[in-house]
Amino acid sequence: MSRIIPYLEIEKITMHGYGLGYADGKAVFVPFTIPGDCVNVKVRLEKKDVIFGMADEFIHTSPTGIIPQCEAFGGENACGGCDWLMVPYELQLKWKTELIRQVFEPLGLAEIVEDIIPSDRDIHYRNKSFLPAGNSNNGLYFGIYERYSHNVVPHKKCLLQPVVIDEILKSVEDFAHTVKLEPYNEITYKGILRHAGVRINESGSEAILILVTRSGKFPFSGQFVRMIKDKFPFVQGIVQNINRSISNVILGEEEKILYGSPCLNDEINGVRFRIHYKSFFQINHSVTSKLYQILRKELTKEDIVLDAYSGIGTISLSVAGSVNEVHGVEEVAEAVDDAEHNKIINKFNNAWFHLGKVEEMLSNLIQKTSFTAVIFDPPRKGLDLGTLELIAQHKIGKVLYVSCNSMTLARDVKIMQNFGYVIEKILPFDMFPQTWHIETLVKLRYDEN
Ligand code: SAH
């Protein structure tokens, strides 16, 4: 039996979407709670100074809360997708700005953190969903992993994605029931279907469907393709991706194109993009569009720009029209192929894309080209010290750092402060409404004096 902490008053909100209260001289972190809630907490993990628990019972809920419109949200066996479906959107925005202020407070930068840029849509905003297959008495279903576990919480509809993604996934489920397609089992390594993924463009005119299987086996795949084409004519590509590994990684190395194209086409601020199903593309169109507009405004016609972690060239090609030249560096070959293609269809001749790891390519690139500005958009782990040192040694004047992890962002910004950079702007973006996640742009400038 886990220990219960009774009547915990939630006082604050923290990173990772926890509500925070205090008991027995320890900080108690409880997901799916907000300030004003009073809860009995079931202890999940107890350390010297902190406790992590789950709300066992709500004594009373915060007067600021609203009723979540999703049956998989909160409580026992909650879906791990959303954190704040019980929080009005305006309040989510306020909290996110405050969280970023807290992160930059120790660097003396809280004051320059601007109010977060909101998302045009606070639900149905995701253009991509990859959902694991679970197994129930009724057969295969799709869902999202429960918080802290790999139990798949069933999802008939997910508020974060367009309704049509629910419909496509429902059709995959129905088909799986008809032909008795078994879900992959992580413990026995048996079964066939691991994940289903849908990517859709902003206008809804094109989508691609990806089924991840454990082996090359996919019975009745011809029938499956006909069913999807019939029901969803805008699905212009169906891919069977084969993941034979026992790891948690979603996609495998092998694939069979079952129908059409493995790529999707979309447009941001008038720039067209082809997106391979393996390539990164920001999931929230309206916020991405605002972010890229701001990046463009920060640069001038004289700038020679390095776009590190360039993906399919989204940022490079969004700024190419406003700068002298731009060089992207990206390690995923499919993404670099997309970038080269996107450069051509958008008729830019001042953009170059380099395949490889930023940390390995940077030194050579920096020697060959006199960059005046760098845009960083790394994965969650942020930048390595060598990369930051090179930028500082070459005294590159302007650094625009986009990050989805404010902890590693603040760590790297602090290093750059020590190298003599001044921080001119910190601007959060609400790329992921209903969750605690925040995208942030920091503008740094090298100060000669
Ligand atoms: N700037 C792009 C992509 C950002 S996501 C956009 O806005 O769409 C981060 C990208 O970095 C991904 O495409 C990922 O494949 C790539 N990446 C991750 N680690 C890398 C590394 N060490 N070197 C180069 N690219 C890397």
Side-chain angles (χ1 to χ4, degrees):
M1 272 290 282
S2 340
R3 176 159 98 85
I4 299 281
I5 300 171
Y7 296 96
L8 184 81
E9 297 282 352
I10 301 298
E11 298 176 22
K12 278 189 212 161
I13 210 74
T14 74
M15 284 290 176
H16 300 275
Y18 291 115
L20 169 62
Y22 298 90
D24 311 331
K26 297 185 183 190
V28 186
F29 293 90
V30 192
F32 309 118
T33 63
I34 58 173
D37 286 341
C38 178
V39 280
N40 291 342
V41 177
K42 198 194 269 180
V43 174
R44 202 174 54 76
L45 180 70
E46 182 154 6
K47 295 194 170 166
K48 206 166 109 240
D49 305 320
V50 291
I51 294 174
F52 291 91
M54 291 298 277
D56 192 45
E57 191 182 342
F58 281 77
I59 308 302
H60 60 77
T61 53
S62 166
T64 51
I66 51 176
I67 296 170
Q69 300 299 312
C70 173
E71 47 184 58
F73 179 78
E76 196 93 34
N77 310 116
C79 163
C82 292
D83 303 293
W84 286 345
L85 281 180
M86 74 305 227
V87 183
Y89 188 53
E90 285 304 316
L91 189 56
Q92 293 183 25
L93 292 171
K94 188 167 157 267
W95 285 353
K96 288 187 179 188
T97 304
E98 279 168 16
L99 285 172
I100 295 298
R101 292 211 168 107
Q102 280 165 28
V103 171
F104 285 97
E105 175 91 65
L107 278 66
L109 297 170
E111 253 109 81
I112 65 163
V113 175
E114 296 172 38
D115 286 347
I116 194 163
I117 303 278
S119 173
D120 287 1
R121 291 195 295 271
D122 63 353
I123 54 173
H124 302 315
Y125 61 83
R126 284 191 72 99
N127 60 21
K128 175 180 101 166
S129 289
F130 268 84
L131 301 189
N135 201 1
S136 73
N137 294 339
N138 302 327
L140 178 149
Y141 65 90
F142 293 107
I144 294 186
Y145 291 126
E146 192 184 343
R147 200 167 171 130
Y148 310 121
S149 95
H150 264 210
N151 294 336
V152 182
V153 180
H155 251 255
K156 293 213 168 28
K157 67 182 179 83
C158 170
L159 283 178
L160 302 193
Q161 68 203 19
V163 174
V164 69
I165 295 191
D166 299 325
E167 291 168 0
I168 295 173
L169 293 172
K170 167 80 169 59
S171 292
V172 181
E173 278 179 6
D174 290 346
F175 183 84
H177 298 164
T178 310
V179 304
K180 307 228 169 344
L181 206 59
E182 294 287 319
Y184 171 68
N185 181 315
E186 282 185 340
I187 296 158
T188 61
Y189 311 130
K190 296 229 166 70
I192 291 181
L193 197 52
R194 297 177 69 129
H195 278 82
V198 182
R199 293 183 87 153
I200 187 162
N201 67 3
E202 176 65 8
S203 69
S205 65
E206 281 185 24
I208 47 176
L209 171 59
I210 301 101
L211 294 189
V212 186
T213 56
R214 177 180 64 87
S215 68
K217 213 166 114 187
F218 180 5
F220 306 104
S221 60
Q223 207 175 317
F224 176 76
V225 168
R226 280 192 296 280
M227 180 277 290
I228 293 287
K229 273 171 68 178
D230 227 41
K231 274 191 161 166
F232 306 102
F234 55 90
V235 172
Q236 54 141 31
I238 305 176
V239 181
Q240 178 189 357
N241 175 280
I242 302 161
N243 184 355
R244 299 180 196 272
S245 80
I246 56 169
S247 76
N248 289 335
V249 179
I250 296 180
L251 292 175
E253 295 295 320
E254 300 161 63
E255 70 193 13
K256 290 184 199 166
I257 311 294
L258 301 180
Y259 161 65
S261 162
C263 300
L264 183 73
N265 297 288
D266 209 344
E267 187 177 320
I268 301 180
N269 301 327
V271 185
R272 290 185 292 144
F273 296 105
R274 182 190 81 184
I275 310 148
H276 187 272
Y277 81 94
K278 285 186 172 171
S279 300
F280 177 90
F281 191 65
Q282 291 283 12
I283 53 111
N284 182 329
H285 190 277
S286 74
V287 177
T288 305
S289 149
K290 294 174 204 183
L291 168 65
Y292 293 172
Q293 284 175 39
I294 288 172
L295 289 172
R296 200 178 56 213
K297 281 198 202 117
E298 294 293 346
L299 298 163
T300 68
K301 266 285 173 210
E302 282 70 51
D303 274 322
I304 299 173
V305 184
L306 173 68
D307 174 16
Y309 308 91
S310 50
I312 63 164
T314 37
I315 295 179
S316 292
L317 300 175
S318 296
V319 304
S322 315
V323 301
N324 186 337
E325 51 181 85
V326 57
H327 293 257
V329 183
E330 163 64 43
E331 70 169 2
V332 172
E334 287 87 352
V336 175
D337 276 354
D338 285 340
E340 294 288 359
H341 175 90
N342 294 331
K343 167 185 164 172
I344 294 165
I345 59 170
N346 290 289
K347 300 193 173 65
F348 285 116
N349 55 13
N350 62 341
W352 285 269
F353 295 99
H354 309 266
L355 174 64
K357 287 190 182 296
V358 169
E359 54 279 25
E360 289 165 11
M361 312 272 291
L362 195 62
S363 145
N364 194 17
L365 273 173
I366 261 186
Q367 272 163 29
K368 285 204 292 223
T369 313
S370 339
F371 292 111
T372 60
V374 186
I375 300 170
F376 285 119
D377 188 7
R380 296 189 67 76
K381 70 176 181 183
L383 301 174
D384 67 321
L385 187 59
T387 298
L388 296 169
E389 274 170 352
L390 265 173
I391 300 300
Q393 274 161 19
H394 287 80
K395 302 188 172 145
I396 296 182
K398 223 182 283 179
V399 177
L400 297 161
Y401 189 158
V402 180
S403 166
C404 59
N405 182 345
S406 54
M407 272 56 113
T408 53
L409 174 65
R411 176 200 69 198
D412 294 345
V413 165
K414 188 171 178 192
I415 295 171
M416 291 305 268
Q417 274 183 322
N418 292 337
F419 286 151
Y421 278 77
V422 285
I423 287 62
E424 291 191 337
K425 187 185 193 75
I426 304 178
L427 180 55
F429 291 81
D430 194 19
M431 192 72 87
F432 315 100
Q434 316 304 338
T435 80
W436 69 274
H437 293 279
I438 312 165
E439 191 83 11
T440 309
L441 165 67
V442 175
K443 180 184 177 191
L444 307 98
R445 183 177 286 282
Y446 186 73
D447 189 0
E448 285 287 353
N449 311 311

